[in-house]
């Protein structure tokens, strides 16, 4: 009995020594199995709170505060403007084309290329003369058609008198640039041809149930069918090589459309990603698609932001008449903004969804955090409410153009001076109304992202102010950036 007791006591002592040795080897910490469980728990927690942005955006866009002027000056980087519709994107597009003479990749290049392939060359003076003759024919025939936005009262004038009146009247609501009448006519020619092409290649939804002959405003007659578009709605007329094309007013574009999925796919097939030197700046609303197919770790992202409710309201009224837009729906023309806000097709968090490439489905609480992280890391922020400050910031950051280019941009494209391009008059929505509340609820995440973008605008301005001496002297390098806020 005594022997058994001694043996048991010896075993207890040995177990105690082993336990003591383990604890000594670990310090005074918890047992191994508890440490393992805690490590696993911490790993799961880290995975939960580490918000990873979309891999296409992470891989193909540089961090906005990663500045390397050596690569930028060698055309190895491609500035990409995320075009948030009705937020000032058209203003930036026209500004860079007109004041900075940059080669742009957007949708216009394909339109210009197609027009040149299927329309005889005509100088601006010849085009204006043709329009004068057409207008005179309509007037002499007693017709009541309007001409390029002229009212019926204006058309009671003779064409020569009307042209002279236009030359003496400041151009308004046809873009944000103060341009001559001849330049405005050129702009209208491009816009008109763009609308005709888009309507003719399957993007207009209005169709008729019977064949008939229709007459255009200039007296030309057509059968009311589109025989240029295959059943899948894809455009047939596309170039088989990348090149720069020039519009009638001298603006330059790459002959692709990077604003639609099919256009991005076609540009990728032509080797757009391998030809960064061909393009000075790219404009697209399809950020993830564009980054995945058209960039090669060299994109530099920037954008202009607007209050989401104001943007949604503006876009609704725009789409009531914009039959050339792919998103046009004829039912919008019969709706009020109240009808739209209560409908199932009302816009909902477009910005956040676009950054995550999650255009349908339920939004998760972490989605807004991913969107914020994307802007924080990758995007140089501009605000439509401070267009002058935005234009100056983009000018300093990218180093495009000269002081004369900046003066042109500020004079013609800051909202205080000229209003926004592609703007249109529409009823204003009362911020205290039920409809405003409905649209705010539908776009709650976008509202939060917009608030964050305004905060970033201030922080980035401070960061760039500290680094201005590097930017101005061209000595700003990735290894020597100013302090990050």
């Amino acid at each position: 009995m005594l022997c058994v007791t001694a043996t048991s006591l010896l075993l207890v002592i040995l177990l105690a020594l082993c336990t003591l040795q383990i604890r000594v080897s670990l310090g005074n910490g918890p047992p191994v199995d508890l440490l393992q469980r805690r490590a696993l728990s911490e790993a799961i927690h880290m995975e939960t709170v580490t918000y990873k942005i979309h891999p296409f955006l992470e891989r193909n866009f540089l961090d906005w505060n990663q500045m390397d002027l050596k690569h930028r000056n060698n055309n190895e980087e491609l500035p990409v403007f995320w075009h948030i519709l009705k937020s000032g994107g058209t203003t930036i597009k026209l500004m860079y084309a007109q004041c900075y003479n940059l080669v742009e990749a957007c949708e216009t290049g394909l339109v210009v290329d197609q027009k040149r392939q299927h329309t005889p060359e005509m100088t601006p003076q010849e085009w204006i003369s043709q329009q004068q003759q057409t207008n005179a024919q309509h007037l002499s025939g007693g017709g009541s058609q309007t001409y390029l936005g002229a009212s019926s009262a204006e058309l009671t004038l003779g064409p020569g008198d009307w042209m002279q009146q236009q030359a003496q009247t400041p151009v308004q609501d046809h873009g944000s640039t103060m341009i001559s009448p001849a330049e405005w006519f050129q702009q209208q020619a491009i816009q008109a041809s763009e609308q005709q092409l888009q309507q003719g290649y399957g993007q207009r939804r209005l169709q008729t149930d019977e064949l008939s002959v229709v007459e255009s405003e200039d007296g030309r007659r057509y059968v009311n069918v589109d025989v240029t578009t295959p059943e899948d709605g894809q455009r047939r007329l596309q170039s088989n090589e990348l090149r720069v094309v020039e519009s009638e007013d001298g603006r330059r574009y790459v002959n692709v459309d990077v604003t639609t999925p099919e256009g991005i796919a076609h540009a990728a097939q032509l080797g757009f990603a391998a030809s960064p030197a061909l393009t000075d700046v790219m404009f697209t609303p399809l950020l993830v698609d564009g980054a995945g197919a058209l960039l090669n770790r060299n994109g530099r992202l920037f954008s202009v932001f607007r209050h989401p409710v104001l943007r949604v309201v503006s876009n609704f009224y725009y789409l009531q008449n914009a039959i050339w837009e792919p998103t046009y729906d004829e039912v919008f023309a019969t709706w009020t903004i109240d009808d739209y806000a209560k409908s199932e097709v009302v816009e909902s968090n477009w910005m956040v969804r676009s950054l995550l490439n999650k255009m349908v489905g339920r939004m998760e609480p972490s989605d807004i955090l991913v969107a914020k992280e994307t802007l924080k890391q990758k995007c140089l922020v501009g605000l439509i409410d401070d267009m002058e400050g935005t234009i100056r910031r983009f000018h300093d950051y990218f180093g495009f153009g000269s002081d004369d280019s900046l003066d042109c941009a500020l004079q013609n494209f800051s909202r205080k001076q000229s209003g926004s391009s592609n703007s249109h008059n529409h009823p204003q929505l009362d911020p205290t109304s039920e409809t405003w509340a409905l649209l705010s609820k539908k776009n709650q995440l976008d509202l939060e992202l917009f608030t964050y973008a305004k905060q970033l605008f201030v922080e980035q301005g401070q960061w760039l102010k500290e680094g201005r001496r590097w930017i101005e002297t061209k000595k700003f390098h990735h290894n020597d950036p100013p302090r990050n806020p």
Side-chain angles (χ1 to χ4, degrees):
M1 184 72 177
L2 181 61
C3 182
V4 173
T5 302
T7 303
S8 300
L9 181 60
L10 181 60
L11 290 174
V12 171
I13 293 173
L14 289 174
L15 288 174
L17 290 173
C18 290
T19 303
L20 178 61
Q21 183 179 5
I22 292 175
R23 289 188 177 275
V24 169
S25 65
L26 296 174
N28 292 322
V32 174
D33 58 339
L34 180 58
L35 286 175
Q36 291 175 340
R37 289 197 301 270
R38 180 177 297 175
L40 178 60
S41 176
E42 290 176 351
I44 293 173
H45 179 68
M46 288 295 294
E47 182 65 22
T48 302
V49 300
T50 301
Y51 303 104
K52 299 179 179 178
I53 69 177
H54 194 284
F56 288 170
L57 306 183
E58 171 65 34
R59 181 173 64 248
N60 291 324
F61 280 112
L62 301 168
D63 288 355
W64 75 270
N65 58 354
Q66 178 184 338
M67 301 294 293
D68 191 338
L69 293 178
K70 177 181 178 181
H71 288 171
R72 185 180 67 180
N73 293 338
N74 289 338
N75 294 318
E76 295 180 13
E77 295 180 3
L78 177 60
V80 178
F81 184 87
W82 179 29
H83 193 164
I84 304 171
L85 302 181
K86 308 309 296 179
S87 296
T90 302
T91 296
I92 300 299
K93 188 189 304 182
L94 291 174
M95 178 188 78
Y96 279 136
Q98 178 167 317
C99 295
Y100 291 81
N101 196 31
L102 299 184
V103 177
E104 298 181 350
C106 48
E107 72 281 7
T108 310
L110 181 62
V111 173
V112 172
D113 195 27
Q114 292 174 342
K115 181 176 181 293
R116 292 230 165 166
Q117 292 181 43
H118 302 280
T119 304
E121 293 293 339
M122 183 182 299
T123 66
Q125 292 76 16
E126 291 172 338
W127 184 83
I128 293 173
S129 176
Q130 182 189 77
Q131 296 303 315
Q132 287 179 304
Q133 295 174 8
T134 300
N135 193 32
Q137 292 172 2
H138 286 318
L139 290 171
S140 62
S144 60
Q145 292 131 320
T146 59
Y147 161 63
L148 289 178
S151 65
S152 57
E154 289 172 326
L155 284 178
T156 59
L157 301 171
D161 295 334
W162 186 81
M163 289 282 291
Q164 183 178 4
Q165 181 188 77
Q166 294 303 307
Q168 298 171 350
T169 303
V171 178
Q172 297 179 351
D173 296 329
H174 300 292
S176 67
T177 58
M178 305 302 293
I179 57 178
S180 68
E183 291 172 327
W184 181 77
F185 280 117
Q186 297 172 35
Q187 185 180 88
Q188 295 305 303
I190 295 173
Q191 293 176 355
S193 65
E194 179 175 352
Q195 293 180 15
Q196 292 170 3
L197 283 168
Q198 291 176 331
Q199 293 168 13
Y201 293 106
Q203 294 198 17
R204 185 173 181 176
R205 295 187 180 183
L206 298 178
Q207 294 183 350
T208 183
D209 295 329
E210 61 180 356
L211 291 174
S212 62
V213 176
V214 294
E215 186 170 327
S216 64
E217 292 186 358
D218 59 1
R220 298 174 184 175
R221 295 182 297 166
Y222 306 91
V223 179
N224 61 335
V225 293
D226 175 11
V227 296
T228 65
T229 307
E231 293 180 356
D232 60 1
Q234 304 290 329
R235 295 176 176 176
R236 286 182 178 177
L237 297 177
Q238 292 187 341
S239 176
N240 57 5
E241 63 177 357
L242 286 174
R243 63 176 179 271
V244 175
V245 294
E246 188 170 315
S247 63
E248 287 90 337
D249 60 0
R251 297 170 182 171
R252 298 180 299 158
Y253 306 92
V254 182
N255 61 330
V256 292
D257 178 1
V258 296
T259 66
T260 65
E262 61 272 16
I264 289 174
H266 179 67
Q269 292 174 357
L270 297 182
F272 185 94
S275 307
L278 195 65
T279 309
D280 292 322
V281 59
M282 184 173 95
F283 294 81
T284 182
L286 305 179
L287 190 58
V288 173
D289 289 348
L294 303 179
L295 300 180
N296 186 22
R297 303 178 185 271
N298 65 332
R300 195 170 285 281
L301 178 63
F302 68 119
S303 189
V304 174
F305 292 81
R306 183 184 186 184
H307 190 287
V309 175
L310 296 177
R311 189 187 69 77
V312 170
V313 171
S314 179
N315 197 43
F316 165 74
Y317 284 112
Y318 171 70
L319 290 177
Q320 282 190 317
N321 301 306
I323 60 176
W324 55 89
E325 291 286 356
T327 52
Y328 171 78
D329 192 330
E330 59 184 325
V331 73
F332 289 166
T334 65
W335 281 4
T336 65
I337 186 62
D338 303 323
D339 297 329
Y340 178 67
K342 297 174 183 177
S343 72
E344 295 182 356
V345 298
V346 62
E347 187 174 307
S348 176
N349 298 309
W350 184 90
M351 291 193 299
V352 174
R353 289 183 178 276
S354 296
L355 290 173
L356 275 68
N357 201 29
K358 188 179 181 180
M359 303 312 296
V360 296
R362 178 184 175 184
M363 302 298 288
E364 302 296 336
S366 61
D367 290 341
I368 182 60
L369 301 174
V370 176
K372 287 181 178 180
E373 188 67 22
T374 303
L375 294 190
K376 178 181 178 182
Q377 290 186 30
K378 302 296 182 180
C379 186
L380 180 68
V381 172
L383 297 177
I384 197 172
D385 292 332
D386 186 4
M387 208 61 174
E388 180 177 345
T390 294
I391 290 172
R392 290 184 182 276
R393 182 168 300 181
F394 291 171
H395 178 87
D396 289 342
Y397 182 83
F398 289 109
F400 290 144
S402 62
D403 291 341
D404 290 339
S405 300
L406 177 60
D407 290 341
C408 170
L410 292 174
Q411 181 180 354
N412 296 313
F413 293 96
S414 65
R415 289 174 62 85
K416 289 193 303 182
Q417 300 296 332
S418 56
S420 61
S421 300
N422 201 28
S423 63
H424 58 287
N425 295 323
H426 60 76
Q428 299 300 307
L429 185 62
D430 183 359
T432 64
S433 66
E434 178 186 358
T435 298
W436 183 285
L438 285 174
L439 293 175
S440 297
K441 184 177 180 180
K442 283 286 187 178
N443 293 276
Q444 183 176 356
L445 297 184
D446 272 9
L447 283 167
E448 186 174 346
L449 186 66
F450 175 67
T451 300
Y452 185 68
K454 291 194 293 183
Q455 175 186 337
L456 285 178
F457 184 77
V458 174
E459 293 179 356
Q460 290 177 354
Q462 295 171 348
W463 191 92
L464 291 170
K465 184 178 181 180
E466 293 182 11
R468 188 176 301 279
R469 65 185 179 89
W470 283 280
I471 296 175
E472 290 177 349
T473 59
K474 306 300 183 184
K475 294 179 181 179
F476 194 125
H477 295 285
H478 172 57
N479 295 328
D480 189 24
R483 179 176 55 82
N484 196 9

